[in-house]
Amino acid sequence: MVKFKDVQFEALGEFIRDLIKDPSKQVVFRSGDQKAMKDLLRGFMTPKDKTWEEITIVPHFDENLVAHIAFPFTGDVEETIVTIAPDVGPGEDYTFPDHYKIDPNAGPPDQKKQNRLRAYYSRLGDYVMSRCK
């Protein structure tokens, strides 16, 4: 399983919203064109410990009445457990992305709508990335 770093959650979420609203923008992902998909995604994230050339992108579009259950790669789960809660020693901190620390409903009334959109775009980006981490 490929992990990513330097993920621009808000920008990715905004891109995803735009893409799923317009079928013509989905063509690159529905066609399976690896180069074109990677070229689009490069602006939002970087593969961790791998190159773009080594990985394969498998696009998936959720459907209204279909439940897709994605089971994580066992090696990734065990690596994370050993990192955050090893048998010996304190382990590393387990932190959430910054967009989970922001209250989207805080601030003056004229800022709330923008704060909510930014938080939601970040959440859309996180939704997509949760399936590839």
Side-chain angles (χ1 to χ4, degrees), residues 9 11-12 15 30-31 45 55 57 59 62 68 71 85 91-92 97 102 107-108 113 115 117 120 123 129:
F9 288 99
L12 177 61
F15 169 77
R30 292 192 184 275
S31 74
M45 65 193 83
I55 69 171
I57 304 296
D62 284 344
H68 297 274
F71 294 94
E92 295 179 14
I102 297 168
K113 183 189 282 186
N115 289 346
L117 280 173
Y120 188 69
R123 182 63 191 113
M129 294 310 299

Side-chain angles (χ1 to χ4, degrees), residues 75-109:
D76 290 339
V77 171
E78 295 307 311
E79 179 184 326
T80 299
I81 297 294
V82 168
T83 301
I84 65 174
D87 290 336
V88 177
E92 295 179 14
D93 286 348
Y94 184 68
T95 58
F96 289 103
D98 287 340
H99 61 268
Y100 282 110
K101 300 172 188 167
I102 297 168
D103 180 356
N105 299 307

Side-chain angles (χ1 to χ4, degrees), residues 7-8 11 16-17 44 50 54 71 77 95 109-110 116 121:
V7 179
Q8 305 300 312
I16 294 299
R17 179 186 181 210
F44 304 108
K50 306 224 180 313
E54 293 175 291
F71 294 94
V77 171
T95 58
D110 61 332
R116 290 174 184 158
Y121 288 150

Side-chain angles (χ1 to χ4, degrees), residues 9 62 100 122-132:
F9 288 99
D62 284 344
Y100 282 110
S122 294
R123 182 63 191 113
L124 282 174
D126 191 50
Y127 175 86
V128 170
M129 294 310 299
S130 70
R131 284 150 172 77
C132 39

